[in-house]
Amino acid sequence: MNFLTQIDNLALIALLLVSGLALFQPTLSTLIGGKGLSPTEATIWINRRKAHVLDLRSEEAFKTGHLPGAKLVNAADFTAVIGKLRLDRKQPVVLVCDTGAQSRKFMTETQKLGFAEVGVLDGGVQAWTASALPLVK
């Protein structure tokens, strides 16, 4: 018990706990908030894993440029549009919007519709273009 009462040891224990929490934080945020994808990770999902890309932006924004293979999904009629698209629920899904905030809101709804794996493009189309990746017009 003498070990725990010395001030130097308490500082080391506190440092150990803080660093452990910092290392665990990305895993915890993924478990709570779902899978956030960088533009590079999203590209891998799209090309190698044949992920469906669902664009939640307005039709005007979609027409100015969207990710290759993306399908426009009106956020107001999300569930109905997903049903009409008849997508393979076993394939992963990448949700895309302008900044990633709107996509996060629809992540749990997409999972409830039975999709095996759902990811959100962190930073949205803005991050995609900042990474110098192509948009289709």
Side-chain angles (χ1 to χ4, degrees):
M1 273 324 241
N2 221 4
F3 177 80
L4 294 176
T5 59
Q6 294 177 358
I7 193 76
D8 291 341
N9 294 339
L10 288 176
L12 289 174
I13 291 171
L15 180 65
L16 177 71
L17 291 174
V18 169
S19 63
L21 286 173
L23 289 171
F24 185 66
Q25 190 271 335
T27 303
L28 184 62
S29 67
T30 298
L31 291 174
I32 292 171
K35 179 73 174 155
L37 302 171
S38 70
T40 305
E41 291 171 316
T43 302
I44 291 169
W45 275 37
I46 294 165
N47 292 335
R48 293 187 188 161
R49 302 183 66 202
K50 306 298 183 220
H52 303 293
V53 181
L54 304 178
D55 196 321
L56 302 171
R57 299 176 301 147
S58 68
E59 189 172 350
E60 296 81 31
F62 185 82
K63 286 180 180 177
T64 60
H66 56 274
L67 275 67
K71 293 174 179 57
L72 179 63
V73 177
N74 186 354
D77 303 328
F78 186 78
T79 306
V81 174
I82 296 294
K84 289 177 186 175
L85 290 175
R86 296 183 186 148
L87 302 173
D88 183 3
R89 303 275 199 269
K90 295 175 187 169
Q91 295 294 108
V93 173
V94 177
L95 298 176
V96 179
C97 64
D98 282 323
T99 62
Q102 185 180 21
S103 298
R104 286 242 177 248
K105 294 176 187 175
F106 284 93
M107 178 177 269
T108 54
E109 191 171 339
T110 308
Q111 291 169 333
K112 287 178 186 176
L113 290 172
F115 287 94
E117 196 170 3
V118 181
V120 170
L121 178 59
D122 284 337
V125 175
Q126 292 176 5
W128 185 269
T129 55
S131 297
L133 292 168
L135 290 177
V136 177
K137 295 184 181 186

